[in-house]
Amino acid sequence: MDGETGPGPETATGAGGRDTGRLLSIGAFARAARLSPKALRLYDELGLLPPAQVDPANGYRRYALAQLERARLVACLRRIGMPLARIRDVCELAPGPAAGAVSAYWARVETDTAARRELAAFLVDHLKGKDTTMTKPPAGTPRTGEPPAGEPRPAGALTIRYAALSDTGLVRESNQDTAYADDRLLAVADGFGRSGASAGAAAVEALRGLEDVGAGVLRPGDLLNALADAADRANRSVREVVAAAGPAAGSGADAAGTTLTAMLWTGSHLALVHVGDSRAYLLRDGELFQITHDHTHVRSLVEEGRLTPEEAESHPQRALLIRALDGSAGFEPEVGLREARPGDRYLLCSDGLSAVVPSDAVRDVLGAVSDPGRAVRDLVALAHDAGAPDNVSCVVADVSTAAATGGEAGVSAAG
């Protein structure tokens, strides 16, 4: 029993005795909508699905048959895991925009699921004492995600050689990018808004506390927790920058924030944190793989099948972010772990490179130029050849068994 069945179905009448439709008790309506009476009471409290009539004497709720379509929509959206607050927004939209909102939500779910899938695969193999199993993307798909498996990592210490470079470009008056590299931390941040340069620099500075995290000592779970905590600190630092800049820096066209893509070297793994549309790539066995997902509106349209990758490259809203470090409470970074292998080369870059230089050209430079310092200079030169309409930042890091370590750059934010 639902405790509030009340009388059976009845007909409601309006002014002048006009028939306004058949009403169902909450129990009958719940059965028709495949919802529980408890869920209907909750949706009523939230203003999501109020009853058509509430008896003033006994409080019985009654629902109109015309409300079944909305109730079934709510039930379906709950089944795909959509939060109630977002469901309320979707239900208020016309059918076309509502379909777009559902597609955008599911694209984000699939992106998050893909990131968790990669982490789960790593942890399964780690717990089994094996190297990470990596799969090659099907022919004809963009090279994102996991590269093919390489040879098992040989015993002995691995090292990285690195270089970082940030350039203003040919159009912008100032540089809001930050590129950073040292023996432990690699990072690129692309600030935006009136205080974007300060936001990017603050985010990277907040991550520098990771340099003291014990290399090769922490278990994978502890390392990921440390990375997530550092990302939260970075977001709080950006919030302080935005607050210090005044109300205008946090809203409208002047809204400030930054992207962030960073990797922490542990001696055998690279831990990754990512939010926004800066990117991380891996060059392995001559093939280039994008190992981060762009948190942009256009990327969500591609994942929904509403745009092709080729159309996305020239879309006017290709730089519109759906995730960034902006100090908000809803900050959701991607975190993950990658097994290090000798011969791997990693590239972190802002969209000042990826938006104007084809991936084939990036791969050619990374594959042909052995020195990381020259590689970052050549990549920036490619962006200049393409007009460099935005700031350009690159970090290149090589994994090897050589005894030599080090690199050419620490923080680089050329003005």
Side-chain angles (χ1 to χ4, degrees), residues 377-389:
R377 291 191 295 271
D378 286 358
L379 290 171
V380 169
L382 285 179
H384 276 244
D385 291 342

Side-chain angles (χ1 to χ4, degrees), residues 77-161:
L77 294 175
R78 286 297 291 157
R79 288 190 186 104
I80 67 172
M82 184 177 286
L84 289 172
R86 181 168 289 190
I87 290 176
R88 183 169 52 241
D89 294 339
V90 170
C91 288
E92 297 303 321
L93 296 174
V102 174
S103 295
Y105 167 76
W106 192 248
R108 179 167 179 172
V109 169
E110 289 186 324
T111 296
D112 291 342
T113 300
R116 290 194 294 269
R117 185 185 301 116
E118 292 172 7
L119 177 57
F122 173 89
L123 292 175
V124 167
D125 287 326
H126 175 81
L127 292 171
K128 289 180 177 179
K130 299 177 180 178
D131 285 328
T132 304
T133 299
M134 299 182 178
T135 58
K136 189 172 184 177
T141 61
R143 291 194 176 279
T144 60
E146 297 290 353
E151 295 299 318
R153 179 170 53 85
L158 296 177
T159 62
I160 58 170
R161 297 178 62 242

Side-chain angles (χ1 to χ4, degrees), residues 204-257:
V204 173
E205 183 63 27
L207 290 188
R208 291 187 62 183
L210 289 169
E211 295 168 352
D212 297 327
V213 173
V217 175
L218 291 182
R219 295 172 296 180
D222 295 331
L223 182 59
L224 289 176
N225 289 339
L227 199 63
D229 290 344
D232 286 338
R233 289 196 299 272
N235 195 48
R236 290 196 298 271
S237 296
V238 171
R239 184 185 307 145
E240 293 170 1
V241 167
V242 172
S251 61
D254 290 327

